[in-house]
Amino acid sequence: MQHDRRAAGGPRFRDLELAAGQSATFGRGTGGVPVDVPLGDPGVSRLAGRIRPVEDHWVISNLSRSATIVVENPEGAGEFVKVAPRRADMPVPFEFSRVVVPAARGPVSFLVFAPEHLYLDAGAADDGEDATTAAFPLDETSKYFRVLVALCEPRLLDASSVVIPSVPGIIERLGGGPTRPAVNFHIDYLARKKLRVKEPAGGAKADWQRAALVALALKFNLVREEHLELLPPPDGSPPCAPGPVRCTDEPAEGSRPT
């Protein structure tokens, strides 16, 4: 854990290491209520919260009666989780986090570096004889996948964005190569065949397909920040850089996309 102490007039940063089973408190602190991470602002509770490492992750408790604490992912695309007042031992999904506490002179924060998360062997075979069918069989080298990445780009860059790119916007983002019928074809193909999104009951806005594709793709991590490399640079460079992405002719309406 790393605490920025500029406001307190001390060293630039203070490090505090915690082992599993240990904990650290944070807040304004007083003589009678000492804390491990002092946040010197009159708007911060004397005992605002507590963090505790648990094997390969960590948990946070908000001990304040009224203030909501925010835990941000500095390495992501604006992801954050909110810790409601009096919430105890909430697991935090980020390895690298910034804990932000509201204060009178502006939010104060400190950083938490958690152990690397554990993952199962990706090459391990499923039990039994029958192979598992992919729930969302997407080909990341296809043109329709680049259309999906272009749709998700605003939300990947800023999780709070409500922008859903239009068809002309997607064409422009892909370097002006695909035609409007081709982009519409790819969107419809993704919606009906690949991600199988459903039209909301009671009618929907004209962009419901695009909005539903973005929501589902990001919800299940089908499109991630590294996929933005499949798009051409914003400076207008050619969209098909060397690599796994195929550059194919646009499909005619009614044909199967690549």
Side-chain angles (χ1 to χ4, degrees):
M1 181 170 58
Q2 193 173 73
H3 171 217
D4 187 343
R5 302 189 63 190
R6 285 177 295 182
R12 179 65 173 85
F13 289 106
R14 172 178 178 261
D15 290 326
L16 178 64
E17 292 192 12
L18 298 175
Q22 296 180 321
S23 65
T25 55
F26 58 91
R28 188 173 81 249
T30 63
V33 184
V35 293
D36 300 298
V37 182
L39 304 174
D41 188 287
V44 177
S45 299
R46 286 174 293 179
L47 186 59
R50 178 179 60 245
I51 66 172
R52 181 168 58 88
V54 182
E55 296 182 351
D56 70 330
H57 68 283
W58 61 286
V59 298
I60 183 170
S61 298
N62 184 351
L63 305 179
S64 170
R65 298 180 184 276
S66 58
T68 295
I69 295 172
V70 175
V71 182
E72 301 174 340
N73 177 13
E75 296 181 316
E79 299 99 332
F80 65 91
V81 294
K82 295 189 290 186
V83 190
R86 311 304 291 176
R87 175 70 161 90
D89 289 339
M90 189 186 86
V92 177
F94 314 132
E95 294 181 25
F96 175 39
S97 308
R98 177 183 293 112
V99 177
V100 183
V101 182
R105 295 192 291 264
V108 292
S109 64
F110 59 90
L111 302 175
V112 176
F113 301 87
E116 184 176 358
H117 291 171
L118 299 177
Y119 292 91
L120 297 176
D121 182 6
D126 291 334
D127 293 334
E129 297 179 355
D130 296 331
T132 301
T133 302
F136 304 109
L138 298 175
D139 178 1
E140 296 184 5
T141 69
S142 66
K143 184 63 70 68
Y144 70 73
F145 188 77
R146 289 207 290 161
V147 169
L148 182 60
V149 174
L151 273 172
C152 296
E153 183 181 35
R155 285 277 300 278
L156 284 171
L157 296 175
D158 180 1
S160 64
S161 174
V162 296
V163 174
I164 302 295
S166 63
V167 171
I170 294 171
I171 294 172
E172 181 181 358
R173 189 63 188 91
L174 294 178
T179 63
R180 189 183 188 107
V183 171
N184 281 325
F185 182 92
H186 287 307
I187 291 173
D188 187 63
Y189 180 69
L190 283 162
R192 290 188 299 107
K193 299 295 186 181
K194 291 298 184 179
L195 303 190
R196 303 179 301 281
V197 297
K198 304 294 184 182
E199 183 175 359
K205 296 181 179 179
D207 66 348
W208 76 266
Q209 268 190 337
R210 286 177 282 129
L213 288 173
V214 170
L216 187 66
L218 296 181
K219 180 179 181 179
F220 289 102
N221 247 11
L222 305 178
V223 178
R224 302 177 297 279
E225 192 171 0
E226 60 263 30
H227 289 134
L228 294 177
E229 296 180 2
L230 298 175
L231 300 179
D235 61 6
S237 299
C240 296
V245 178
R246 292 200 303 265
C247 299
T248 61
D249 294 334
E250 298 301 328
E253 289 187 83
S255 65
R256 177 182 172 85
T258 57

